[in-house]
Structure formats: C-alpha cells, structure tokens
Amino acid sequence: MNAVTRRLPATVEQLPAAQAFLKSGIEQAGLDPHLGGRLALALEEVFVNICHYAYPPGQPGEIELRISPSAERFVLDVLDDGQPFDPANLPEPDLAATLEQRTVGGLGWFLVRQMVTELSCRREQGRNLVSLVMQQPADEGGRAS
Amino acid sequence: MDIEITFQGDLRVLKVSGQLDALSSADYEQRLNRLVAEGARQLVVDFGPLVYISSAGLRALLNTSKPLLAQGGALVYVNLQPGVREVFEMTGLLSLFRVCDSLPEAIAAVQAG
C-alpha cells in the first residue's frame, strides 16, 4: 500500500482531524483495533507537544502526518518545521512518587515510548521527524507490546 | 466528553463518558474543581463509559484529586475499561489513586472515608 499524507495547522483544535486521518489509515491497513488505540494515544502526545512547543507563540506552523503501512509494520510519521527537538533529553517521570509529590508533567513522552513498538526521532531536511512504528502481530495469537 | 452527576446523600457519582484528551481535559478539571468549591467532599468517578485517556487527561485527574484530598475529601475511580486501566497501570496511577471494580464497592469505600 502507498504512503498517504495529510498536512494540518499545528493547533490542538486540529487533533480530531489528525485522529480521523489515523483512524482511516488503521482501518484500511486492517491494524488490530487495540494496537490502533495505542497508536492514537501516541499520536495525541506527539501532536499536542508540537502544537505547544515547536513554533514561536503567535506563529503557528504546520504538522504533516504520513502513514506507510506494510504487512508487518504500520508506520506513522509526524513531521514539523519547528525548532529542533529530541525527547531523549527529557527527564523520566518519577512513577514511584506519592500523590503529593507527583508532578503533572513528563508523562506524555513516557506514554509514547510505552505505546509503540518502535519510536525514532530525527532531524530530516530541516524538519523534525517522529516515527511511530507498530509491529503487526505475525499470527492471531501474538500481540505486539 | 460528558459528565453526568447523580447525588446519593452527601456523595456525588460522576459518570464520565467519551474521551479525556487534550481538548476535553480542561472542561473536566473546571467542572470537578467547581464541585469541590461548592463543597463536595465525597466523589465517585465512574469511568465505565470512558473509552480513552491521554496524558492531558491524567494531568486533569492529578490536578483535581490533590486539592480534594488535601481538604480531607475522598475520591474513588471505578469501572476502568482495559485501555484506560493500562494507562493508569503504566503511569503508576493505579497504586496512587483508589480504584474499584464496582460501583457499590466504590461508594462504600468513599463513605468509609
């Protein structure tokens, strides 16, 4: 199947449009709905992060979504033209903290890493590229984790 | 996201349906904080019809639980669907919050304080 792309304004209000685009790609590729749900969560975290941090305030840019499904791997690329960003530099959330100590940030990228089979972030032709990869189970009994 | 509120004496049961995401979490936070500002101290949050939660939703739960518990209130989450439960588990919220499997159990837990 060929890759399909969609460009959207980088605003949180566009999140439903992004999710609808992913949902149609998931349905066409026949990806397991459970895995599709995990990918939807990863997409929200990446999308919202770009909306909040990639572009200077008052100068909203765009986000490009690219779906490249294959028999074994469903790949969702999220691209932006904003400032360089590497989530590897973010601190891990303290999951053992008590309710009083628990801070409200840091959970987004942590969830992205938990949700997908593979996560890669790189700079490509002056753009940020986040690849969210979901391995399709080889048989009925298997399920990617 | 919708919230349906029913009263059982001093206790309020909030049935939350739909999605708690970056678009709806501010609304959730406002409505819960308003209930607490109006004097609610015993809350059961029924997530039975909630199909999705993201980090923005988790943030709203943390932002609303902390002030209520600090004021001596009690709050229990109940009926988590598998996807929502998985996110609670991964982020450690399953052991941080009080979570029950049935409404009667949740109501009893909140009434016990």
Side-chain angles (χ1 to χ4, degrees):
Chain A
M1 201 185 298
N2 291 329
V4 283
T5 61
R6 175 96 198 258
R7 289 184 79 88
L8 292 166
T11 61
V12 177
E13 289 69 32
Q14 294 296 323
L15 183 60
Q19 293 291 17
F21 174 73
L22 172 63
K23 190 162 182 261
S24 93
I26 284 170
E27 284 169 3
Q28 277 178 30
L31 183 69
D32 177 310
H34 173 76
L35 298 183
R38 297 181 71 137
L39 203 48
L41 177 50
L43 171 60
E44 175 181 329
E45 304 298 346
V46 175
F47 193 95
V48 170
N49 188 71
I50 294 170
C51 296
H52 287 159
Y53 303 114
Y55 298 104
Q59 296 176 40
E62 282 192 323
I63 295 177
E64 185 177 319
L65 304 175
R66 188 169 63 202
I67 293 176
S68 321
S70 72
E72 298 86 30
R73 289 154 60 88
F74 185 99
V75 182
L76 171 64
D77 291 331
V78 187
L79 298 108
D80 72 77
D81 307 298
Q83 57 176 331
F85 171 72
D86 184 358
N89 297 329
L90 293 176
E92 289 283 327
D94 181 5
L95 300 182
T98 64
L99 188 57
E100 291 73 29
Q101 299 165 330
R102 195 69 183 255
T103 56
V104 291
L107 289 175
W109 280 105
F110 172 78
L111 278 175
V112 175
R113 286 195 292 271
Q114 302 294 314
M115 288 296 149
V116 298
T117 320
E118 254 179 75
L119 166 71
S120 76
C121 305
R122 58 184 184 275
R123 198 77 181 154
E124 193 179 275
Q125 296 172 339
R127 310 171 80 192
N128 294 308
L129 167 58
V130 177
S131 284
L132 305 169
V133 181
M134 202 57 99
Q135 199 82 34
Q136 307 242 41
D139 57 67
E140 290 287 303
R143 180 168 272 185
S145 60
Chain B
M1 191 270 310
D2 276 315
I3 304 178
E4 184 191 308
I5 303 170
T6 52
F7 292 79
Q8 302 207 5
D10 287 336
L11 184 148
R12 287 162 178 82
V13 178
L14 283 63
K15 194 179 239 186
V16 185
S17 57
Q19 305 201 359
L20 257 183
D21 58 17
L23 288 173
S24 61
S25 54
D27 184 29
Y28 176 90
E29 214 173 306
Q30 273 169 16
R31 292 175 71 178
L32 259 81
N33 284 338
R34 188 171 160 188
L35 280 178
V36 174
E38 287 167 358
R41 291 294 176 270
Q42 295 184 322
L43 298 183
V44 169
V45 177
D46 183 354
F47 277 162
L50 185 79
V51 296
Y52 174 95
I53 192 164
S54 68
S55 72
L58 298 180
R59 222 166 289 141
L61 302 190
L62 285 166
N63 287 341
T64 49
S65 302
K66 281 187 188 181
L68 175 63
L69 300 179
Q71 293 175 63
L75 187 153
V76 171
Y77 298 98
V78 64
N79 293 331
L80 273 57
Q81 291 198 23
V84 173
R85 194 180 183 89
E86 186 182 29
V87 172
F88 264 59
E89 217 161 7
M90 280 176 176
T91 53
L93 295 188
L94 210 49
S95 48
L96 208 57
F97 291 140
R98 293 165 78 186
V99 177
C100 292
D101 293 328
S102 77
L103 201 51
E105 193 191 330
I107 289 170
V110 165
Q111 282 169 342

